[in-house]
């Protein structure tokens, strides 16, 4: 679990693709303090497990699902990424609940400076937009932000100077893909309503059968209890 408050900007040393999966090596300093093998580091908002590390760098495995849903697969040597260690219970919870499980990506289509803030417009698909609520939360490349406006094909956030300096958000070129994690509360509410209303693609309840220990498992037993 993360807070979406970025601790450090790291640099990709290399990204290796191995079939449908891959490995990534990141240069960082602050996020490696008190970190050990097996710990989690949010990398552009993706929860990655440290598999190897030494002074100033760590390596993590990236599975195919992550490469498909995030922008990690398009990273190369020299690219900068937002980094955050998994949260602990002895520090302030300054952002919102971020799981590090990316829902999908969006595309940066506009930057607009208004006063001391920069407004960023991001286009994304309907499957993600349905979780966007004005004044709600979204994580963009792991950065906790407030949704300012929602449109038919995208949404806007406003970035204050401190956030702009501490993250990579304002360095993305127009057309760049960014990782998006929607507020998990909305996703849980939707799933619970699907069960309550009997809608959704996987809402058929699992049949639970009390085992008759005086009867052996057989094909007939499984047929009678709906397993075939």
């Amino acid at each position: 679990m993360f807070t979406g408050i970025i601790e450090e900007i790291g640099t990709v040393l290399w990204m290796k693709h191995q079939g449908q999966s891959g490995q990534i090596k990141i240069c960082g300093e602050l996020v490696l303090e008190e970190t050990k093998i097996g710990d989690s580091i949010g990398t552009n908002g993706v929860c990655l497990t440290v598999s190897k590390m030494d002074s100033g760098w760590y390596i993590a495995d990236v599975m195919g699902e992550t490469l498909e849903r995030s922008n990690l697969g398009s990273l190369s040597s020299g690219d900068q990424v937002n980094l955050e260690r998994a949260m602990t219970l002895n520090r302030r919870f300054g952002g919102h609940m971020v799981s590090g499980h990316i829902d999908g990506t969006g595309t940066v289509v506009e930057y607009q400076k208004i006063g001391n803030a920069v407004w960023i417009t991001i286009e994304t698909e309907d499957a993600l937009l349905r979780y966007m609520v004005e004044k709600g939360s979204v994580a963009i490349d792991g950065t906790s932000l407030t949704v300012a406006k929602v449109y038919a094909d995208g949404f806007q956030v406003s970035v204050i100077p401190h956030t702009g300096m501490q993250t990579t958000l304002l360095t993305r070129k127009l057309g760049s893909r960014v990782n998006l994690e929607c507020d998990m509360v909305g996703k849980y509410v939707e799933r619970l309503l699907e069960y309550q209303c009997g809608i959704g693609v996987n809402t058929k309840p699992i049949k639970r059968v009390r085992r008759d220990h005086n009867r052996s498992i057989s094909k007939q037993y499984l047929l009678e209890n709906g397993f075939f």
Side-chain angles (χ1 to χ4, degrees):
M1 188 68 70
F2 305 89
T3 68
I5 305 300
I6 302 304
E7 296 184 284
E8 179 181 11
I9 296 176
T11 303
V12 177
L13 296 178
W14 47 253
M15 176 74 198
K16 295 180 180 178
H17 293 268
Q18 303 165 336
Q20 294 183 336
S21 58
Q23 271 193 333
I24 191 168
K25 185 175 183 180
I26 304 288
C27 175
E29 295 290 341
L30 178 60
V31 293
L32 294 178
E33 292 180 6
E34 300 181 0
T35 295
K36 59 185 184 300
I37 302 296
D39 285 350
S40 298
I41 295 179
T43 307
N44 265 7
V46 180
C47 179
L48 295 181
T49 301
V50 176
S51 60
K52 297 179 182 178
M53 61 177 292
D54 206 334
S55 177
W57 59 265
Y58 68 94
I59 292 175
D61 295 304
V62 186
M63 60 182 176
E65 169 76 1
T66 303
L67 292 175
E68 182 179 342
R69 283 187 177 256
S70 74
N71 61 15
L72 293 191
S74 62
L75 295 176
S76 57
S77 177
D79 287 341
Q80 292 187 317
V81 288
N82 294 325
L83 303 178
E84 180 193 355
R85 289 168 291 187
M87 66 178 294
T88 60
L89 297 180
N90 62 351
R91 62 173 172 149
R92 288 188 176 91
F93 192 172
H96 73 282
M97 292 184 294
V98 179
S99 68
H101 303 152
I102 301 303
D103 292 302
T105 61
T107 303
V108 178
V109 295
E110 184 182 37
Y111 290 106
Q112 186 179 13
K113 194 172 190 324
I114 301 177
N116 67 344
V118 177
W119 288 67
I120 307 176
T121 304
I122 295 175
E123 289 184 352
T124 191
E125 57 187 320
D126 289 342
L128 275 65
L129 277 176
R130 71 169 181 255
Y131 301 116
M132 302 295 177
V133 180
E134 287 192 9
K135 309 309 177 187
S137 298
V138 64
I140 303 177
D141 276 348
T143 306
S144 175
L145 294 165
T146 299
V147 177
K149 297 179 182 179
V150 181
Y151 303 106
D153 57 354
F155 65 97
Q156 277 189 326
V157 295
S158 182
V159 176
I160 61 173
H162 176 78
T163 303
M165 290 187 293
Q166 294 295 118
T167 71
T168 64
L169 289 175
L170 301 185
T171 67
R172 301 298 189 207
K173 296 179 180 179
L174 295 181
S176 296
R177 290 173 66 215
V178 290
N179 295 329
L180 301 178
E181 182 185 331
C182 306
D183 189 352
M184 65 175 69
V185 175
K187 291 182 284 187
Y188 278 114
V189 170
E190 180 185 63
R191 186 61 169 158
L192 289 170
L193 287 174
E194 284 180 350
Y195 270 101
Q196 184 178 3
C197 300
I199 59 176
V201 292
N202 293 312
T203 55
K204 184 178 180 181
I206 299 172
K207 185 170 184 179
R208 305 191 186 281
V209 180
R210 183 178 293 278
R211 171 76 187 280
D212 181 357
H213 292 280
N214 294 318
R215 185 176 177 185
S216 61
I217 298 294
S218 64
K219 183 176 180 181
Q220 184 61 34
Y221 180 86
L222 296 175
L223 281 169
E224 290 173 2
N225 288 282
F227 288 96
F228 287 103

